[in-house]
Amino acid sequence: MEEARRQSSDTLVPCPQCDLILSVAPPAPGEWVRCPRCRHPLARHTVNDQTSPALAASALILLAVALAFPYIRFEKNGVSDQMGLLDAATQLAAFHHPALAVVVFATIVVVPACFLVALLWVHASLARATPLAGTAMLVRALPRWRPWMMADVFAIAALVSLIKIAGMAQVTLKPGFWAFSGFALALLVTVQRLHPLALWVRLTGPPQAPPGTRPGLTAGEQGLIGCEQCGQLQPVDGHSHCRRCGGALHPRRPASLQRTWALLIAATLCCFPAHLYPIMTTTSLGNTQPATIISGVLQFLSHGDWPIALIIFSASVLVPFGKIMALAWLCLAVRREAPVDMHAQMRLYRITEWVGRWSMIDVFVVAIVVALVRLGNLMSITPGPGGVAFAAVVVLTMLAAFSFDPRLLWDRQPPSDAPSDPARPATPTLAER
Ligand SMILES: [Zn+2]
Ligand SMILES: [Zn+2]
């Protein structure tokens, strides 16, 4: 009975990472639906709850509190100063690093605030009989903004900064610090709960595949394009926009390999100034000492702070270089004839996509200590040119990961790779509680 109900409500959707068309049943509570071919999570059980808008509203309030109150107070030899959250960006601009200031301000305040307001707008729209203006555009934008919100990375960077300067002076955490930590946590949970496919179903009803569409084959093999935004299948007939969500429609991301290579080469070139120039210069009692990324790691090691040294070394050295090599490997794999372990490649792709933003830790540490340690000749820290170059490496490798279309890896695989069950082909496994 339950099985019959499920089959009648199944929808045909393309897997956005391997292009296989799947017959997806609505997941039961606690269940994730994963693509059986590439293991991409396609859908999860969602209820018409009010938790997401409530979380989004709380996060916005906490952000406002974090902006209104001081963040951290710094005291040395009776002289003290304190920083607000905005100082992390404005002080960088004051030291002639406006690009870095914009990146910091955008990733910790502007993009998260836009995301939360947009989410509230979408939920207000869903509660009405007729959607509010701009709702479709916002639902398309939400998943794109997701990787550029880095409040959680900034919160970790604040802890690293505290350990870095705790030995030099007395540091006090102010209300802004706790409010921002709460904001980062609320934002993280709100983002985890975002499921664009479920939002599209609530907004426009389930996707309708063209008649004769068969699950178990790829969309490309049947002359169809799967919309990357909303999962709507449609024939390749010259339409450049999805008729369900209005998003741009491409069989594969345009010039995916060329763009990825170009961004990877640019990122590799930026690695040289990022590691050769100092990212910050510390002045203490008239003594100036420039520090590169590597010398910063060695400094933590010499103080015995090896967990922090390990975090900074992983985020600033291993991750960017590893990411460039992994993406180059994937670009080459698209053209490789020999059989390859597809699951290992997909795991590599997903790790490079997920891990990139964490490299921003070092940039945020610079932003925080520059804003905090401003006691003139007694003790001050100024940003160096290495920081801008390093931020460029992070942004370029992130853009490279988003330009790469993982479906290109699967295009060379025979469709027989897909599991075939004559009764219900390519029905995803319902598991992963
Ligand atoms: Zn898949
Ligand atoms: Zn669409």
Side-chain angles (χ1 to χ4, degrees):
M1 188 70 176
E2 173 68 7
E3 188 62 13
R5 182 193 66 77
R6 283 198 159 186
Q7 287 202 24
S8 66
S9 54
D10 284 6
T11 48
L12 293 178
V13 291
C15 171
Q17 297 208 337
C18 73
D19 207 35
L20 185 72
I21 296 180
L22 302 154
S23 173
V24 177
E31 278 181 339
W32 269 98
V33 178
R34 281 177 195 273
C35 169
R37 193 188 190 203
C38 74
R39 308 290 297 150
H40 175 67
L42 282 159
R44 84 179 274 192
H45 177 77
T46 44
V47 279
N48 270 8
D49 70 343
Q50 292 302 312
T51 315
S52 290
L55 274 167
S58 322
L60 273 175
I61 294 167
L62 286 167
L63 177 63
V65 175
L67 286 169
F69 287 91
Y71 192 66
I72 302 175
R73 187 164 178 273
F74 178 84
E75 189 178 340
K76 188 179 172 72
N77 299 354
V79 188
S80 73
D81 197 4
Q82 60 185 19
M83 68 168 282
L85 197 56
L86 283 180
D87 292 328
T90 54
Q91 283 303 309
L92 288 174
F95 284 110
H96 309 293
H97 286 298
L100 207 52
V102 168
V103 169
V104 170
F105 188 57
T107 52
I108 63 170
V109 177
V110 179
V111 183
C114 290
F115 177 90
L116 293 168
V117 171
L119 194 69
L120 287 174
W121 184 269
V122 168
H123 277 278
S125 204
L126 289 172
R128 291 161 49 103
T130 47
L132 296 162
T135 303
M137 186 194 71
L138 291 177
V139 179
R140 283 202 305 272
L142 288 174
R144 286 193 204 140
W145 291 341
R146 192 155 39 181
W148 303 102
M149 297 189 289
M150 303 190 188
D152 46 353
V153 184
F154 189 87
I156 301 292
L159 295 178
V160 172
S161 313
L162 288 178
I163 294 169
K164 199 178 180 79
I165 51 183
M168 309 174 188
Q170 202 186 338
V171 178
T172 322
L173 302 178
K174 305 298 275 181
F177 179 88
W178 301 111
F180 188 82
S181 304
F183 158 71
L185 192 65
L187 182 66
L188 196 68
V189 181
T190 312
V191 168
Q192 288 297 320
R193 298 179 64 88
L194 176 73
H195 297 290
L197 289 184
L199 284 180
W200 284 115
V201 171
R202 286 176 67 185
L203 207 60
T204 64
Q208 303 293 330
T213 305
R214 287 174 54 200
L217 295 172
T218 64
E221 285 170 309
Q222 300 181 65
L224 300 170
I225 302 182
C227 174
E228 277 196 83
Q229 303 276 337
C230 72
Q232 171 70 40
L233 282 159
Q234 43 221 301
V236 183
D237 55 5
H239 268 78
S240 60
H241 287 89
C242 171
R243 16 197 115 167
R244 182 168 176 233
C245 73
L249 207 55
H250 306 286
R252 297 290 176 266
R253 289 176 201 163
S256 166
L257 288 183
Q258 291 93 322
R259 275 195 206 189
T260 311
W261 276 122
L263 290 161
L264 285 182
I265 292 166
T268 310
L269 292 177
C270 288
C271 279
F272 291 98
H275 284 277
L276 294 176
Y277 284 105
I279 54 162
M280 64 172 102
T281 302
T282 309
T283 305
S284 182
L285 300 170
N287 232 343
T288 48
Q289 203 179 6
T292 60
I293 291 174
I294 295 290
S295 69
V297 171
L298 293 176
Q299 203 182 349
F300 276 122
L301 270 182
S302 68
H303 290 152
D305 291 326
W306 62 266
I308 301 297
L310 197 66
I311 290 175
I312 297 287
F313 183 72
S314 309
S316 309
V317 183
L318 286 186
V319 166
F321 283 115
K323 218 178 140 181
I324 291 172
M325 283 195 284
L327 282 168
W329 170 265
L330 289 171
C331 285
L332 292 172
V334 169
R335 304 212 185 278
R336 206 170 297 138
E337 293 292 342
V340 283
D341 181 349
M342 289 305 292
H343 288 291
Q345 290 197 354
M346 288 311 286
R347 221 172 294 136
L348 191 64
Y349 167 72
R350 285 178 196 134
I351 291 171
T352 54
E353 207 188 17
W354 175 82
V355 84
R357 53 203 283 284
W358 287 95
S359 296
M360 282 297 274
I361 281 190
D362 229 10
V363 175
F364 290 150
V365 168
V366 172
I368 293 168
V369 295
V370 164
L372 189 57
V373 187
R374 293 178 293 176
L375 305 180
N377 264 346
L378 179 62
M379 172 153 248
S380 60
I381 297 180
T382 51
V388 185
F390 187 73
V393 173
V394 179
V395 171
L396 288 168
T397 50
M398 283 179 73
L399 289 173
F402 304 141
S403 307
F404 183 77
D405 192 332
R407 291 172 296 183
L408 295 173
L409 289 169
W410 292 94
D411 284 346
R412 281 177 173 268
Q413 297 295 309
S416 58
D417 222 34
S420 53
D421 168 0
R424 285 183 79 202
T427 300
T429 45
L430 290 163
E432 321 288 337
R433 272 173 197 277

